[in-house]
Amino acid sequence: MKKLLPLFLIFLVFWGYSQESLTYQKPSKEILNLVDAPMAPTVLITDNGNHMVMLYRDAYKTIEELSEDELRLAGLRINPKTNIGSRTNYYNNIKIKATTASQEIQVSGLPENPRLANFSWSPDQSKIAVTNTTTTGVEVWVLDVEESSVKKLTEANVNANMGDVLNWFKDGNSILVKMLPSARKALINVSEAIPAGPTVSSNDGKKAQNRTYQDLLKNPNDEFNFEQLALSELHKIDLNGNSSIWKGQDMYSSLSFSPDGSYIMAVTIDRPFSYLVPYNRFPSITTIYKNDGSLVQQVLKVPLIEDLPQGFMAERTGMRDISWRSDKPSTLIYAQVLDGGDPEIEVAFRDEVFQLEAPFKGEGKSILKTINRFASIQWGNDGIAIAYDRWWNTRNTKTYVFNPSNPSEKPKIISDRNYQDVYNDPGEFVTTKNEYSVNVLALDGKNNAFLMGDGFSEKGQFPFIDKINLVSQETLRLFQSTLTDKKETLVEYHPEKDQLLVRIESKSEYPNYYYKNLIRKKAPQQLTFFENPFKSIQNVNKEVITYKREDGLELTGTLYLPVGYDKVKKEKLPMILWAYPREFKDKNSASQNTQNPNEFTYPSWGSPIYWVTKGYVVLDDAAFPIIGEGDAQPNDTFRKQLVANAKAAIDAVDAKGYIDRKRVAVGGHSYGAFMVANLLSHSDLFAAGIARSGAYNRTLTPFGFQSEERNYWEAPEVYYTMSPFMHADKMKTPLLLTHGEADNNSGTYPMQSERYFNALKGLGATVRLVMFPKESHGYRAKESILHLLWEQDQWLEKYVKQKEEIIDAPLMGKD
């Protein structure tokens, strides 16, 4: 018994050090001051440029908000008490500013403790419909922009569970609103329900290689609750609050008016439901109604989609991507596959596009075939439209100009490129509102369109506007930014008004909006005057550095040095390297620089930039390309390239004399966390790591992950080699793991971190796992974010900054 007592005490000590009951903590003052900085508003500008609507919100939710009732059903997260998405971001104030005025006006009449969402402009943009979430449900309010006032239109009986809640009738006098049906049944309390039998799933031999979706239906009780929450009645509500039923209850997922407002396309969800895929792959029915609610035609019935062919470019057969043609009063557009939806089948054209005019009966008229998978169309007029296609496997995209009125006229390919090749990106076509208040191509009388581009190049980022003749394909550069000490982002261009809306910022100047003229060389008109809320880091040294990997590939990263760092004395500081791996099919695209040193330094919740205030060098957004050219797949050499990227980054900063390379930490979120675990297992480059919300065992995502199309049985060695869990015995570096307990991201189950932690712990690694209650893949509650920053700070202080002084005592008394 005396011999057993020490062993028992050892067991108690071990158990006590295994679990830690910890209340939410706050980081140091330097970090806390940055987190508490107020947010600038989101800005909405009317098309006529007369008014700016400024929407204000808190940067973070509270843990109390995240703890409200939540049902997770068929890919949705719903608050069953209020009938709106439980993770909805809300605004809590609105101000209006005339673009010529110096001050904004506070909107009057707002509800007490506003929780505003689902903003929807009226056709003439004189008003905005918006929902307000109360403690009992969702209401509809309407904002009069000219009057700077709001008023309530409905009680709290709106159904916002499926989104697409508010749709304006074209006269701007009424809104089509999803409302709770009067006959909706009470929900089943799943935790108290007595099962009627087992849950059975079966398969008749078809391949159904679906990714690892979360929040799926699990049993008949879930099915019942999902249906009740999805059911809505459609009400027509005028601006005085008068309501009438427009259409009876159904599971409406989306609604859209034809450009002229004569028809409404409604998509409803149908049974049978699935336990394998989310609701957007449940059976659906697409129906066209007149704007008075009378039936016109059922145009599409889609079965349950569980068994698509393998590959990112797989598609179902039949009509898909149904939409309204923007330049016509009421014409439907849709696509159909020409390869059976199977990317493995070689055909000259993958897709065919059709148009179907009212009354929408029979088959449509073919107007275009695309070489790759059809993506979208920008409509111009009877004779001009722009179409896009895309093929993931080759990263190819084509842009076509075609005549929708004459299908016999061969489309012209005006762009054929790798969509990851940003240096050769021609930009996006400028649009304008037509007589139906719908966006169409901005065209002049000579078939000229306009392209607005980001302007990335080897020399830096210089956004541009080109005029392109869609007949001759000749281009003329109308504008290119010449700013070298600021970043200029082009937001909107109105060629008919010679007016360009831009956003200008610098490392220390918060982004603000300006009007510019291209022809009339007037001084820019500043529209907003937002101040920098992050004064403590406005003078950090920030630069984009360029360096080479051992194979000669050029890489970049944004380097931050603490305020006042002496580049002459070059004190060797600890460093944090933060990155996210990205897959490429060619070295040229992988080596291109898309970072701008003049971008405003904004410390978001997940950023490592906070630690420049604590004496760290930070290399953020370090390029981590994983390349597989030709028939090779990027992941075939994932680990080798990962380590080469990390070594090149550390070597580059070390060569400048800024860091002690024995005190370098690496961090990442999601796939970046997966990167961290691999780097710590297969290199000795780092003193510690931070891995947030990652996936570590790829056999738990057997039908593909990230950009990997092959399933586990096709490439078992790839899955094994890339899984840090399989190599947990190689972990010799302290690793901080964090995860949201309610993570809904495909593949990153909370179990991934829990099982990886158990493996590392069992093998004697130095590891800490922090699970955040109520949090999803990205963390939202201020309490969680402050605690996350505290955890990261403590970990870095012990295992990186003070590495030479590490003793055997566990972190904060327990580990």
Side-chain angles (χ1 to χ4, degrees):
M1 192 69 183
K2 289 181 180 179
K3 292 180 179 179
L4 290 175
L5 185 60
L7 292 175
F8 179 68
L9 291 175
I10 290 172
F11 172 77
L12 287 179
V13 171
F14 174 79
W15 179 256
Y17 280 81
S18 298
Q19 298 296 119
E20 184 175 342
S21 179
L22 191 66
T23 58
Y24 287 110
Q25 301 294 305
K26 294 181 179 180
S28 60
K29 184 178 179 181
E30 299 95 327
I31 295 174
L32 188 60
N33 288 342
L34 293 172
V35 177
D36 284 337
M39 287 185 67
T42 298
V43 178
L44 308 177
I45 302 179
T46 55
D47 287 334
N48 62 18
N50 293 338
H51 291 91
M52 309 178 72
V53 180
M54 299 184 176
L55 309 178
Y56 293 82
R57 69 177 179 89
D58 295 328
Y60 311 104
K61 287 180 176 287
T62 65
I63 196 65
E64 182 180 3
E65 287 179 291
L66 287 190
S67 300
E68 293 177 355
D69 291 347
E70 181 178 74
L71 290 180
R72 303 170 189 174
L73 301 169
L76 292 172
R77 293 191 167 186
I78 293 170
N79 183 325
K81 185 175 181 181
T82 57
N83 290 290
I84 193 170
S86 54
R87 306 279 163 158
T88 302
N89 279 327
Y90 294 112
Y91 292 91
N92 54 26
N93 195 15
I94 307 175
K95 295 181 181 180
I96 306 289
K97 179 182 176 295
T99 51
T100 56
S102 57
Q103 293 292 326
E104 57 269 11
I105 299 172
Q106 173 62 52
V107 166
S108 64
L110 287 169
E112 186 177 357
N113 301 318
R115 299 173 80 190
L116 308 174
N118 297 300
F119 291 80
S120 176
W121 284 102
S122 65
D124 66 357
Q125 294 199 329
S126 66
K127 297 176 177 63
I128 298 178
V130 59
T131 62
N132 176 55
T133 302
T134 71
T135 56
T136 60
V138 177
E139 310 163 333
V140 178
W141 290 63
V142 65
L143 165 67
D144 188 308
V145 175
E146 191 71 38
E147 297 295 325
S148 299
S149 64
V150 296
K151 66 177 181 179
K152 188 169 80 167
L153 297 185
T154 76
E155 297 303 319
N157 52 1
V158 173
N159 188 347
N161 290 329
M162 303 291 291
D164 200 10
V165 189
L166 308 172
N167 283 271
W168 285 87
F169 284 82
K170 284 296 177 174
D171 61 7
N173 294 321
S174 302
I175 309 166
L176 190 63
V177 183
K178 292 182 180 179
M179 306 294 283
L180 298 175
S182 54
R184 192 170 85 167
K185 299 174 184 177
L187 301 179
I188 295 173
N189 187 329
V190 176
S191 63
E192 298 177 359
I194 299 174
T199 299
V200 178
S201 299
S202 63
N203 187 51
D204 61 1
K206 291 182 179 179
K207 290 184 178 181
Q209 299 189 10
N210 295 298
R211 293 221 162 187
T212 47
Y213 299 110
Q214 300 195 46
D215 295 346
L216 299 178
L217 302 180
K218 299 180 181 65
N219 51 56
N221 290 334
D222 279 354
E223 291 189 57
F224 176 86
N225 285 344
F226 170 77
E227 183 168 13
Q228 297 309 307
L229 291 166
L231 286 171
S232 297
E233 293 174 349
L234 300 182
H235 286 227
K236 182 178 182 179
I237 299 172
D238 68 22
L239 298 183
N240 294 316
N242 299 312
S243 176
S244 60
I245 293 182
W246 187 86
K247 189 58 61 179
Q249 74 171 29
D250 209 330
M251 291 183 283
Y252 299 99
S253 60
S254 68
L255 304 164
S256 62
F257 279 86
S258 62
D260 68 353
S262 298
Y263 300 94
I264 294 176
M265 178 167 57
V267 180
T268 53
I269 296 169
D270 200 7
R271 284 183 173 270
F273 299 152
S274 171
Y275 296 178
L276 291 179
V277 293
Y279 80 95
N280 58 4
R281 291 175 64 174
F282 289 180
S284 65
I285 299 171
T286 301
T287 308
I288 307 298
Y289 299 97
K290 289 184 179 179
N291 60 14
D292 62 5
S294 59
L295 175 66
V296 177
Q297 187 71 28
Q298 183 187 110
V299 295
L300 177 62
K301 193 168 185 177
V302 179
L304 178 65
I305 308 170
E306 285 186 341
D307 54 355
L308 287 175
Q310 187 177 356
F312 292 151
M313 290 289 96
E315 265 295 355
R316 63 173 178 81
T317 58
M319 299 170 65
R320 77 169 201 279
D321 297 339
I322 303 180
S323 63
W324 295 107
R325 180 169 164 175
S326 304
D327 64 327
K328 291 291 185 181
S330 50
T331 297
L332 289 176
I333 300 297
Y334 63 91
Q336 287 187 325
V337 297
L338 296 174
D339 57 5
D342 187 347
E344 292 298 316
I345 296 176
E346 295 294 332
V347 291
F349 297 97
R350 292 284 177 183
D351 281 348
E352 188 169 10
V353 183
F354 300 83
Q355 68 177 24
L356 182 62
E357 298 177 350
F360 317 110
K361 293 182 179 180
E363 295 184 0
K365 174 186 174 183
S366 174
I367 59 172
L368 178 70
K369 292 182 179 179
T370 59
I371 297 170
N372 295 325
R373 190 69 74 211
F374 169 72
S376 63
I377 293 178
Q378 285 183 295
W379 298 98
N381 53 39
D382 283 343
I384 292 179
I386 302 292
Y388 303 89
D389 69 14
R390 191 177 179 92
W391 198 251
W392 181 86
N393 305 73
T394 58
R395 311 302 197 267
N396 180 257
T397 181
K398 293 178 174 61
T399 305
Y400 307 78
V401 58
F402 70 102
N403 183 348
S405 298
N406 185 6
S408 64
E409 186 178 320
K410 187 177 180 180
K412 295 179 182 178
I413 297 176
I414 60 174
S415 176
D416 186 353
R417 66 184 190 88
N418 182 328
Y419 57 74
Q420 291 182 315
D421 179 4
V422 295
Y423 287 0
N424 290 301
D425 187 344
E428 296 183 357
F429 281 94
V430 174
T431 61
T432 188
K433 288 283 186 6
N434 63 9
E435 66 269 33
Y436 308 119
S437 297
V438 180
N439 283 325
V440 294
L441 286 171
L443 298 168
D444 65 14
K446 298 180 180 179
N447 292 320
N448 290 315
F450 303 88
L451 288 161
M452 191 160 63
D454 291 330
F456 288 108
S457 70
E458 293 180 353
K459 296 180 179 179
Q461 184 182 7
F462 303 97
F464 62 85
I465 291 177
D466 284 347
K467 181 165 69 173
I468 178 172
N469 186 279
L470 296 178
V471 176
S472 67
Q473 300 181 38
E474 293 181 2
T475 60
L476 174 66
R477 183 135 300 178
L478 301 179
F479 169 82
Q480 183 150 26
S481 177
T482 58
L483 299 181
T484 56
D485 59 343
K486 297 179 187 292
K487 178 184 178 183
E488 185 169 16
T489 303
L490 311 187
V491 181
E492 289 180 346
Y493 176 50
H494 298 279
E496 75 284 359
K497 295 193 291 186
D498 184 36
Q499 188 180 76
L500 175 63
L501 177 66
V502 302
R503 189 172 63 244
I504 298 176
E505 62 196 276
S506 74
K507 302 173 188 178
S508 60
E509 296 174 357
Y510 199 90
N512 277 292
Y513 291 87
Y514 298 78
Y515 273 142
K516 283 187 170 183
N517 302 107
L518 306 190
I519 300 173
R520 294 169 291 154
K521 303 297 183 182
K522 300 190 333 185
Q525 176 190 355
Q526 187 167 350
L527 304 176
T528 61
F529 300 85
F530 303 133
E531 296 285 338
N532 182 358
F534 308 111
K535 299 290 186 183
S536 64
I537 59 171
Q538 67 178 356
N539 293 322
V540 299
N541 186 295
K542 177 182 180 180
E543 63 176 314
V544 173
I545 62 170
T546 302
Y547 49 96
K548 288 187 178 182
R549 202 166 74 175
E550 60 186 8
D551 60 359
L553 186 71
E554 196 165 87
L555 306 175
T556 58
T558 302
L559 182 67
Y560 298 85
L561 302 176
V563 175
Y565 181 82
D566 192 330
K567 290 186 176 181
V568 177
K569 292 183 179 179
K570 293 186 177 180
E571 178 188 358
K572 292 188 178 296
L573 301 177
M575 183 176 88
I576 303 171
L577 168 65
W578 207 270
Y580 188 95
R582 300 185 187 279
E583 297 85 352
F584 294 86
K585 287 299 291 179
D586 70 298
K587 291 182 178 179
N588 176 59
S589 300
S591 67
Q592 293 178 357
N593 175 23
T594 58
Q595 300 180 57
N596 191 323
N598 300 313
E599 188 171 70
F600 178 72
T601 304
Y602 184 89
S604 62
W605 71 268
S607 169
I609 297 171
Y610 295 102
W611 279 273
V612 293
T613 67
K614 304 295 294 285
Y616 291 79
V617 172
V618 174
L619 185 63
D620 193 18
D621 200 17
F624 265 64
I626 308 297
I627 306 165
E629 295 191 301
D631 294 332
Q633 293 295 323
N635 286 339
D636 292 343
T637 53
F638 178 85
R639 271 176 24 191
K640 179 181 178 181
Q641 293 190 64
L642 207 65
V643 174
N645 290 330
K647 184 177 184 301
I650 295 172
D651 287 347
V653 185
D654 186 34
K656 293 179 178 290
Y658 300 156
I659 63 168
D660 174 359
R661 66 181 302 141
K662 293 182 179 180
R663 293 190 295 158
V664 178
V666 62
H669 189 90
S670 191
Y671 206 54
F674 174 72
M675 169 201 75
V676 169
N678 268 299
L679 284 172
L680 298 192
S681 298
H682 303 294
S683 77
D684 57 1
L685 295 168
F686 299 99
I690 299 170
R692 299 193 313 236
S693 301
Y696 308 103
N697 184 349
R698 285 303 165 196
T699 67
L700 298 178
T701 56
F703 291 109
F705 57 89
Q706 200 71 3
S707 293
E708 179 57 64
E709 284 191 307
R710 296 168 294 183
N711 66 42
Y712 168 77
W713 296 273
E714 291 173 317
E717 285 303 315
V718 170
Y719 278 69
Y720 178 86
T721 302
M722 290 180 68
S723 294
F725 181 88
M726 307 303 182
H727 307 281
D729 59 323
K730 298 181 176 67
M731 179 64 72
K732 301 296 186 288
T733 308
L735 174 62
L736 173 64
L737 294 167
T738 76
H739 217 118
E741 287 185 351
D743 193 333
N744 66 339
N745 184 55
S746 177
T748 55
Y749 304 110
M751 180 180 69
Q752 287 272 7
S753 288
E754 292 166 345
R755 294 291 182 266
Y756 188 41
F757 170 78
N758 287 339
L760 292 172
K761 178 181 174 181
L763 292 166
T766 301
V767 62
R768 180 178 176 87
L769 172 63
V770 182
M771 301 296 293
F772 288 102
K774 311 296 181 180
E775 294 291 354
S776 186
H777 192 58
Y779 312 154
R780 307 284 290 279
K782 188 172 183 178
E783 294 89 340
S784 303
I785 291 163
L786 292 178
H787 188 90
L788 170 72
L789 295 172
W790 178 78
E791 289 279 1
Q792 292 178 160
D793 195 38
Q794 296 288 311
W795 196 258
L796 292 168
E797 283 291 312
K798 178 173 182 179
Y799 291 111
V800 181
K801 197 171 188 180
Q802 307 298 332
K803 183 181 179 184
E804 302 303 324
E805 302 173 15
I806 290 180
I807 56 176
D808 293 333
L811 179 70
M812 295 163 286
K814 298 179 181 179
D815 202 6

